[in-house]
Short mmCIF file of all heavy atoms in Angstrom, two decimals:
data_model
loop_
_atom_site.label_atom_id
_atom_site.label_comp_id
_atom_site.label_asym_id
_atom_site.label_seq_id
_atom_site.Cartn_x
_atom_site.Cartn_y
_atom_site.Cartn_z
N ALA A 19 -41.76 -138.88 -201.83
CA ALA A 19 -40.39 -139.20 -201.43
C ALA A 19 -39.46 -138.02 -201.67
O ALA A 19 -38.61 -137.69 -200.83
CB ALA A 19 -39.89 -140.42 -202.20
N VAL A 20 -39.62 -137.33 -202.79
CA VAL A 20 -38.78 -136.17 -203.10
C VAL A 20 -39.04 -135.04 -202.10
O VAL A 20 -38.12 -134.41 -201.59
CB VAL A 20 -39.01 -135.70 -204.55
CG1 VAL A 20 -38.38 -134.35 -204.80
CG2 VAL A 20 -38.47 -136.73 -205.52
N SER A 21 -40.31 -134.79 -201.79
CA SER A 21 -40.62 -133.71 -200.84
C SER A 21 -40.14 -134.04 -199.44
O SER A 21 -39.72 -133.18 -198.69
CB SER A 21 -42.11 -133.39 -200.85
OG SER A 21 -42.84 -134.46 -200.30
N ALA A 22 -40.16 -135.32 -199.06
CA ALA A 22 -39.67 -135.72 -197.75
C ALA A 22 -38.17 -135.48 -197.64
O ALA A 22 -37.66 -135.08 -196.59
CB ALA A 22 -40.00 -137.18 -197.48
N CYS A 23 -37.45 -135.70 -198.71
CA CYS A 23 -36.01 -135.47 -198.70
C CYS A 23 -35.69 -133.99 -198.62
O CYS A 23 -34.68 -133.58 -198.06
CB CYS A 23 -35.35 -136.06 -199.96
SG CYS A 23 -35.38 -137.86 -199.98
N ALA A 24 -36.56 -133.16 -199.19
CA ALA A 24 -36.31 -131.72 -199.23
C ALA A 24 -36.67 -131.04 -197.91
O ALA A 24 -36.19 -129.96 -197.62
CB ALA A 24 -37.11 -131.09 -200.36
N THR A 25 -37.49 -131.67 -197.09
CA THR A 25 -37.90 -131.08 -195.83
C THR A 25 -36.88 -131.41 -194.75
O THR A 25 -36.63 -132.58 -194.48
CB THR A 25 -39.29 -131.62 -195.40
OG1 THR A 25 -40.20 -131.41 -196.46
CG2 THR A 25 -39.77 -130.96 -194.14
N PRO A 26 -36.30 -130.37 -194.13
CA PRO A 26 -35.33 -130.67 -193.08
C PRO A 26 -36.03 -131.27 -191.87
O PRO A 26 -37.19 -130.96 -191.59
CB PRO A 26 -34.73 -129.30 -192.74
CG PRO A 26 -35.75 -128.31 -193.18
CD PRO A 26 -36.50 -128.95 -194.33
N PRO A 27 -35.34 -132.13 -191.14
CA PRO A 27 -35.97 -132.71 -189.95
C PRO A 27 -36.20 -131.62 -188.91
O PRO A 27 -35.43 -130.66 -188.83
CB PRO A 27 -34.93 -133.74 -189.47
CG PRO A 27 -33.64 -133.28 -190.04
CD PRO A 27 -33.97 -132.57 -191.33
N PRO A 28 -37.27 -131.75 -188.12
CA PRO A 28 -37.53 -130.73 -187.10
C PRO A 28 -36.41 -130.74 -186.05
O PRO A 28 -35.84 -131.78 -185.74
CB PRO A 28 -38.86 -131.15 -186.49
CG PRO A 28 -38.97 -132.60 -186.79
CD PRO A 28 -38.23 -132.83 -188.08
N GLU A 29 -36.12 -129.54 -185.54
CA GLU A 29 -35.11 -129.45 -184.49
C GLU A 29 -35.66 -130.09 -183.22
O GLU A 29 -36.83 -129.89 -182.88
CB GLU A 29 -34.77 -127.99 -184.21
CG GLU A 29 -34.05 -127.30 -185.34
CD GLU A 29 -33.67 -125.88 -184.99
OE1 GLU A 29 -33.32 -125.63 -183.82
OE2 GLU A 29 -33.75 -125.04 -185.89
N PRO A 30 -34.84 -130.84 -182.52
CA PRO A 30 -35.33 -131.44 -181.28
C PRO A 30 -35.53 -130.37 -180.21
O PRO A 30 -34.82 -129.37 -180.17
CB PRO A 30 -34.20 -132.40 -180.88
CG PRO A 30 -32.98 -131.85 -181.53
CD PRO A 30 -33.45 -131.18 -182.80
N GLU A 31 -36.55 -130.57 -179.40
CA GLU A 31 -36.77 -129.65 -178.29
C GLU A 31 -35.74 -129.93 -177.21
O GLU A 31 -35.41 -131.09 -176.95
CB GLU A 31 -38.17 -129.82 -177.73
CG GLU A 31 -39.24 -129.43 -178.70
CD GLU A 31 -40.64 -129.59 -178.13
OE1 GLU A 31 -40.82 -130.35 -177.16
OE2 GLU A 31 -41.53 -128.96 -178.68
N GLN A 32 -35.25 -128.85 -176.61
CA GLN A 32 -34.24 -129.01 -175.57
C GLN A 32 -34.65 -128.20 -174.34
O GLN A 32 -35.26 -127.14 -174.46
CB GLN A 32 -32.89 -128.54 -176.08
CG GLN A 32 -32.36 -129.40 -177.21
CD GLN A 32 -31.02 -128.92 -177.70
OE1 GLN A 32 -30.90 -127.81 -178.20
NE2 GLN A 32 -30.01 -129.74 -177.53
N ALA A 33 -34.28 -128.72 -173.17
CA ALA A 33 -34.55 -128.01 -171.92
C ALA A 33 -33.94 -126.62 -172.00
O ALA A 33 -32.83 -126.44 -172.51
CB ALA A 33 -33.97 -128.78 -170.74
N ALA A 34 -34.68 -125.62 -171.53
CA ALA A 34 -34.24 -124.23 -171.67
C ALA A 34 -34.48 -123.45 -170.39
O ALA A 34 -35.24 -123.89 -169.51
CB ALA A 34 -34.97 -123.57 -172.83
N VAL A 35 -33.83 -122.30 -170.31
CA VAL A 35 -34.05 -121.34 -169.23
C VAL A 35 -34.31 -119.97 -169.86
O VAL A 35 -33.88 -119.70 -170.98
CB VAL A 35 -32.84 -121.26 -168.25
CG1 VAL A 35 -32.69 -122.55 -167.47
CG2 VAL A 35 -31.57 -120.90 -168.98
N ILE A 36 -35.00 -119.13 -169.13
CA ILE A 36 -35.28 -117.79 -169.60
C ILE A 36 -34.02 -116.94 -169.42
O ILE A 36 -33.40 -116.96 -168.36
CB ILE A 36 -36.47 -117.17 -168.84
CG1 ILE A 36 -37.75 -117.95 -169.16
CG2 ILE A 36 -36.63 -115.69 -169.19
CD1 ILE A 36 -38.95 -117.52 -168.35
N VAL A 37 -33.65 -116.23 -170.47
CA VAL A 37 -32.52 -115.30 -170.40
C VAL A 37 -33.07 -113.89 -170.58
O VAL A 37 -34.06 -113.68 -171.26
CB VAL A 37 -31.43 -115.62 -171.45
CG1 VAL A 37 -30.78 -116.96 -171.15
CG2 VAL A 37 -31.98 -115.60 -172.85
N LEU A 38 -32.42 -112.95 -169.96
CA LEU A 38 -32.85 -111.54 -170.02
C LEU A 38 -34.33 -111.39 -169.66
O LEU A 38 -35.12 -110.86 -170.44
CB LEU A 38 -32.57 -110.94 -171.40
CG LEU A 38 -31.13 -111.01 -171.89
CD1 LEU A 38 -31.04 -110.56 -173.34
CD2 LEU A 38 -30.23 -110.18 -171.00
N PRO A 39 -34.72 -111.86 -168.45
CA PRO A 39 -36.13 -111.75 -168.08
C PRO A 39 -36.55 -110.28 -168.02
O PRO A 39 -35.78 -109.42 -167.61
CB PRO A 39 -36.21 -112.41 -166.71
CG PRO A 39 -34.82 -112.41 -166.19
CD PRO A 39 -33.91 -112.41 -167.37
N SER A 40 -37.76 -110.02 -168.45
CA SER A 40 -38.31 -108.67 -168.45
C SER A 40 -39.71 -108.72 -167.84
O SER A 40 -40.25 -109.80 -167.59
CB SER A 40 -38.39 -108.14 -169.88
OG SER A 40 -39.31 -108.93 -170.64
N ALA A 41 -40.30 -107.55 -167.67
CA ALA A 41 -41.67 -107.50 -167.14
C ALA A 41 -42.61 -108.23 -168.10
O ALA A 41 -43.52 -108.94 -167.67
CB ALA A 41 -42.10 -106.05 -166.96
N GLN A 42 -42.36 -108.09 -169.41
CA GLN A 42 -43.22 -108.75 -170.40
C GLN A 42 -43.06 -110.27 -170.36
O GLN A 42 -44.04 -111.00 -170.45
CB GLN A 42 -42.90 -108.24 -171.82
CG GLN A 42 -43.28 -106.80 -172.06
CD GLN A 42 -42.19 -105.83 -171.61
OE1 GLN A 42 -41.12 -106.22 -171.14
NE2 GLN A 42 -42.48 -104.55 -171.71
N SER A 43 -41.83 -110.76 -170.22
CA SER A 43 -41.63 -112.21 -170.19
C SER A 43 -42.19 -112.80 -168.89
O SER A 43 -42.77 -113.89 -168.91
CB SER A 43 -40.15 -112.58 -170.35
OG SER A 43 -39.38 -112.14 -169.25
N ARG A 44 -42.06 -112.09 -167.78
CA ARG A 44 -42.64 -112.57 -166.52
C ARG A 44 -44.17 -112.60 -166.62
O ARG A 44 -44.82 -113.53 -166.14
CB ARG A 44 -42.18 -111.73 -165.35
CG ARG A 44 -40.74 -112.01 -164.94
CD ARG A 44 -40.35 -111.34 -163.64
NE ARG A 44 -40.13 -109.90 -163.77
CZ ARG A 44 -38.99 -109.34 -164.18
NH1 ARG A 44 -37.97 -110.10 -164.49
NH2 ARG A 44 -38.88 -108.04 -164.26
N ALA A 45 -44.76 -111.58 -167.25
CA ALA A 45 -46.22 -111.54 -167.42
C ALA A 45 -46.68 -112.69 -168.32
O ALA A 45 -47.71 -113.31 -168.07
CB ALA A 45 -46.65 -110.20 -168.00
N ALA A 46 -45.91 -112.99 -169.38
CA ALA A 46 -46.27 -114.09 -170.28
C ALA A 46 -46.22 -115.42 -169.53
O ALA A 46 -47.11 -116.27 -169.70
CB ALA A 46 -45.32 -114.12 -171.48
N LEU A 47 -45.20 -115.61 -168.71
CA LEU A 47 -45.08 -116.85 -167.93
C LEU A 47 -46.22 -116.96 -166.93
O LEU A 47 -46.86 -118.00 -166.81
CB LEU A 47 -43.73 -116.89 -167.21
CG LEU A 47 -43.50 -118.08 -166.29
CD1 LEU A 47 -43.58 -119.40 -167.06
CD2 LEU A 47 -42.15 -117.95 -165.59
N GLN A 48 -46.50 -115.88 -166.23
CA GLN A 48 -47.58 -115.90 -165.23
C GLN A 48 -48.93 -116.18 -165.89
O GLN A 48 -49.73 -116.97 -165.39
CB GLN A 48 -47.63 -114.57 -164.48
CG GLN A 48 -48.60 -114.59 -163.32
CD GLN A 48 -48.45 -113.37 -162.43
OE1 GLN A 48 -47.79 -112.41 -162.78
NE2 GLN A 48 -49.06 -113.44 -161.29
N SER A 49 -49.16 -115.59 -167.05
CA SER A 49 -50.41 -115.83 -167.77
C SER A 49 -50.52 -117.28 -168.23
O SER A 49 -51.59 -117.90 -168.10
CB SER A 49 -50.48 -114.89 -168.98
OG SER A 49 -51.60 -115.18 -169.75
N ALA A 50 -49.43 -117.85 -168.73
CA ALA A 50 -49.45 -119.23 -169.20
C ALA A 50 -49.72 -120.20 -168.06
O ALA A 50 -50.52 -121.14 -168.20
CB ALA A 50 -48.12 -119.57 -169.89
N VAL A 51 -49.08 -119.98 -166.91
CA VAL A 51 -49.29 -120.86 -165.76
C VAL A 51 -50.71 -120.71 -165.22
O VAL A 51 -51.39 -121.71 -164.94
CB VAL A 51 -48.24 -120.59 -164.66
CG1 VAL A 51 -48.56 -121.36 -163.39
CG2 VAL A 51 -46.84 -120.94 -165.16
N SER A 52 -51.19 -119.48 -165.11
CA SER A 52 -52.57 -119.25 -164.64
C SER A 52 -53.58 -119.93 -165.54
O SER A 52 -54.52 -120.58 -165.07
CB SER A 52 -52.87 -117.75 -164.58
OG SER A 52 -52.08 -117.11 -163.63
#
Side-chain angles (χ1 to χ4, degrees):
V20 169
S21 68
C23 291
T25 306
E29 292 183 37
E31 294 181 339
Q32 295 180 297
V35 292
I36 295 174
V37 294
L38 304 172
S40 64
Q42 292 85 2
S43 66
R44 285 189 285 276
L47 177 60
Q48 187 169 12
S49 175
V51 172
S52 295

